[in-house]
């Protein structure tokens, strides 16, 4: 089934791998002109993304089809950085778009964050830690 709940074709061996609703850890590496990394947690639930790390929280949406997924997020800063730590996003609301692949318990994404006049490419890996159905 696709995100709209429509059948994508015959069931059986071609059954689509579904993005599992649950709690994931997240590791992000930003490259390009501005570099950085972050680790945090995200919850994927019925096409919605909610999560955060030490300084930012993320909200957004995603869709999937045939082991591939894509989405968008808005990133907001919730905590000021301590003196001497230069955050890439620096008090900006940042829009991110991504595409990637999904397999049982893991998701890899490639995306772009729009930070002021900069486009910052990033890669991330999500690892399933707890299914929402197990809670």
């Amino acid at each position: 089934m696709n995100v709209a709940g429509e059948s994508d074709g015959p069931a059986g061996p071609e059954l689509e791998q579904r993005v599992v609703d649950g709690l994931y850890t997240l590791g992000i590496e930003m490259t390009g002109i501005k570099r950085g990394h972050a680790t945090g947690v995200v919850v994927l639930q019925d096409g919605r993304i909610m999560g955060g790390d030490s300084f930012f929280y993320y909200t957004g949406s995603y869709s999937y089809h045939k082991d591939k997924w894509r989405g968008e997020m808005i990133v907001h800063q919730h905590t000021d950085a301590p003196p001497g730590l230069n955050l890439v996003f620096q008090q900006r609301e940042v829009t991110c778009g991504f595409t990637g692949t999904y397999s049982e318990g893991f998701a890899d994404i490639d995306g772009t964050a729009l930070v002021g006049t900069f486009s910052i490419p990033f890669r991330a890996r999500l690892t399933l830690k707890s299914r929402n159905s197990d809670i």
Side-chain angles (χ1 to χ4, degrees), residues 102-133:
Y102 184 87
S103 59
E104 184 64 34
F106 295 98
D108 292 308
I109 62 176
D110 288 300
T112 302
L114 303 175
V115 183
T117 59
F118 296 101
S119 293
I120 301 174
F122 67 89
R123 298 194 102 168
R125 167 143 268 208
L126 283 73
T127 304
L128 181 63
K129 295 299 180 180
S130 177
R131 294 172 180 263
N132 289 352
S133 60

Side-chain angles (χ1 to χ4, degrees), residues 43-120:
V43 173
L44 302 181
Q45 176 72 43
D46 297 328
R48 292 179 301 156
I49 302 168
M50 298 165 283
D53 59 41
S54 298
F55 302 104
F56 301 95
Y57 68 94
Y58 329 122
T59 57
S61 61
Y62 65 91
S63 61
Y64 60 91
H65 183 68
K66 296 189 180 187
D67 301 329
K68 299 205 183 298
W69 70 314
R70 66 176 157 196
E72 57 192 26
M73 298 183 300
I74 305 285
V75 179
H76 302 271
Q77 189 169 344
H78 62 73
T79 300
D80 290 333
L85 182 59
N86 186 15
L87 299 177
V88 173
F89 293 174
Q90 291 285 355
Q91 296 292 332
R92 294 183 177 106
E93 180 178 281
V94 175
T95 302
C96 302
F98 68 86
T99 61
T101 57
Y102 184 87
S103 59
E104 184 64 34
F106 295 98
D108 292 308
I109 62 176
D110 288 300
T112 302
L114 303 175
V115 183
T117 59
F118 296 101
S119 293
I120 301 174

Side-chain angles (χ1 to χ4, degrees), residues 1 6-17 66:
M1 266 195 197
E6 301 163 341
S7 176
D8 288 328
E14 296 179 30
L15 189 63
E16 179 178 22
Q17 175 67 50
K66 296 189 180 187

